[in-house]
Amino acid sequence: MGQVIDKTVKVLKLVAAQKHCSLKSLCAVTGYKKSALCQQLQSMVNNGLLLRDNAGEYHLGPLFSELAAQREENMLFRKTAESIAIDLNTACGGDITIATVRNGKYRRLFSCTSFRVTRLTANAPDEECFYGNATGRVLLAEASPELRTRIICSIGLPTVREWAGAVGDRTTLLEELKKIREQGFATVLQRNRCFIACGCTIGKSGLPVAVGISVPASGFNEKKLRALLQQALARFDVTTQHATQRRKEHV
């Protein structure tokens, strides 16, 4: 396996340096036998690492442009999430959470409290808190049916403490999620604090994202907070359009 990878990397570096290479020139430079190299090149073409033109010369394949576009898109969404968290915190003074789903688990992207943004790294632990908070409920409501089913099967049904209104059976839970999807937001009201969240899907894959605000119960104004959250989600829509345009430019 190591030799195959070494050969692949060597060929890619040569093609990248020269912009395009023929089978003959690659054999001459690498010293590989024509039959073996030809098989290797075909595999690289099939996997998008290389592109073979009508003249029989090899260029870097579309996979590299796709990966570059995906990386740029991810960075763009993370910057947007950070900006949204800070602006919402400034507008309402509440604690802000922006979350998504990763590998079927609840995953916080950003948490902003008193103008301090917490950047959660890839090494931060995943959480299974879909039911007990507003952002988690919105994520389940916004997720595709397949993803929603997979998550519910993984974590089970909510307990009374997590979500009293959805306790009973899966039908009851799905009905509650349908209500959230139709009304466009979820709220969790506690004695001293209130939580509200809205969600959307972003990116080419339709990734569910939730933006939530937590404020003291005395300062809870549902209409105002919903308006702020809708404005935040609109910014994600703009980012999605920008990312789509950039992806087309890469292609």
Side-chain angles (χ1 to χ4, degrees):
M1 178 63 72
Q3 292 180 344
V4 173
I5 294 175
D6 290 343
K7 183 188 292 186
T8 299
V9 171
K10 189 172 184 178
V11 169
L12 288 174
K13 286 182 176 180
L14 285 169
V15 174
Q18 300 182 32
K19 305 301 181 183
H20 56 84
C21 295
S22 65
L23 175 59
K24 182 178 180 180
S25 63
L26 285 171
C27 287
V29 175
T30 62
Y32 299 138
K33 293 182 179 179
K34 182 177 179 180
S35 57
L37 184 57
C38 188
Q39 185 176 3
Q40 175 79 14
L41 292 174
Q42 186 57 52
S43 176
M44 294 172 71
V45 169
N46 293 340
N47 286 283
L49 293 172
L50 290 178
L51 180 67
R52 187 172 184 270
D53 63 24
N54 293 331
E57 295 197 324
Y58 295 90
H59 310 256
L60 290 181
L63 181 60
F64 292 97
S65 294
E66 293 172 8
L67 292 176
Q70 184 62 59
R71 181 176 182 275
E72 183 176 333
E73 183 176 311
N74 290 340
M75 292 178 64
L76 187 60
F77 280 126
R78 289 188 68 84
K79 289 180 179 179
T80 301
E82 180 176 1
S83 177
I84 286 173
I86 294 173
D87 290 347
L88 280 176
N89 179 270
T90 303
C92 68
D95 298 343
I96 313 300
T97 295
I98 300 180
T100 186
V101 179
R102 190 186 74 181
N103 298 326
K105 294 185 177 182
Y106 179 96
R107 172 70 173 169
R108 293 179 191 271
L109 290 177
F110 283 94
S111 179
C112 187
T113 305
S114 301
F115 303 99
R116 294 184 178 181
V117 177
T118 301
R119 295 173 178 81
L120 299 171
T121 67
N123 296 323
D126 289 310
E127 304 172 63
E128 292 185 351
C129 50
F130 286 97
Y131 300 139
N133 60 65
T135 49
R137 295 178 187 183
V138 166
L139 287 175
L140 274 181
E142 290 288 340
S144 67
E146 295 78 12
L147 178 57
R148 189 182 307 125
T149 298
R150 182 155 60 92
I151 292 171
I152 294 173
C153 289
S154 174
I155 66 178
L157 296 175
T159 64
V160 174
R161 184 176 180 181
E162 289 177 315
W163 193 356
V167 171
D169 55 25
R170 181 171 298 193
T171 300
T172 303
L173 173 59
L174 293 178
E175 283 298 321
E176 290 297 316
L177 292 173
K178 181 180 178 182
K179 291 178 185 177
I180 292 174
R181 197 160 56 251
E182 291 174 347
Q183 69 185 13
F185 69 97
T187 56
V188 175
L189 308 179
Q190 298 179 356
R191 180 182 300 178
N192 299 317
R193 204 151 187 90
C194 296
F195 304 82
I196 183 169
C198 293
C200 65
T201 56
I202 63 173
K204 188 177 180 181
S205 61
L207 184 72
V209 171
V211 183
I213 299 174
S214 166
V215 296
S218 59
F220 184 69
N221 183 324
E222 182 183 298
K223 184 177 180 180
K224 174 185 175 182
L225 296 179
R226 282 180 60 189
L228 290 174
L229 288 171
Q230 290 301 327
Q231 292 171 13
L233 294 178
R235 290 170 63 179
F236 274 125
D237 287 337
V238 172
T239 300
T240 299
Q241 295 171 11
H242 180 67
T244 300
Q245 181 59 39
R246 292 293 296 161
R247 184 179 287 274
K248 290 179 180 179
E249 291 174 1
H250 275 289
V251 175

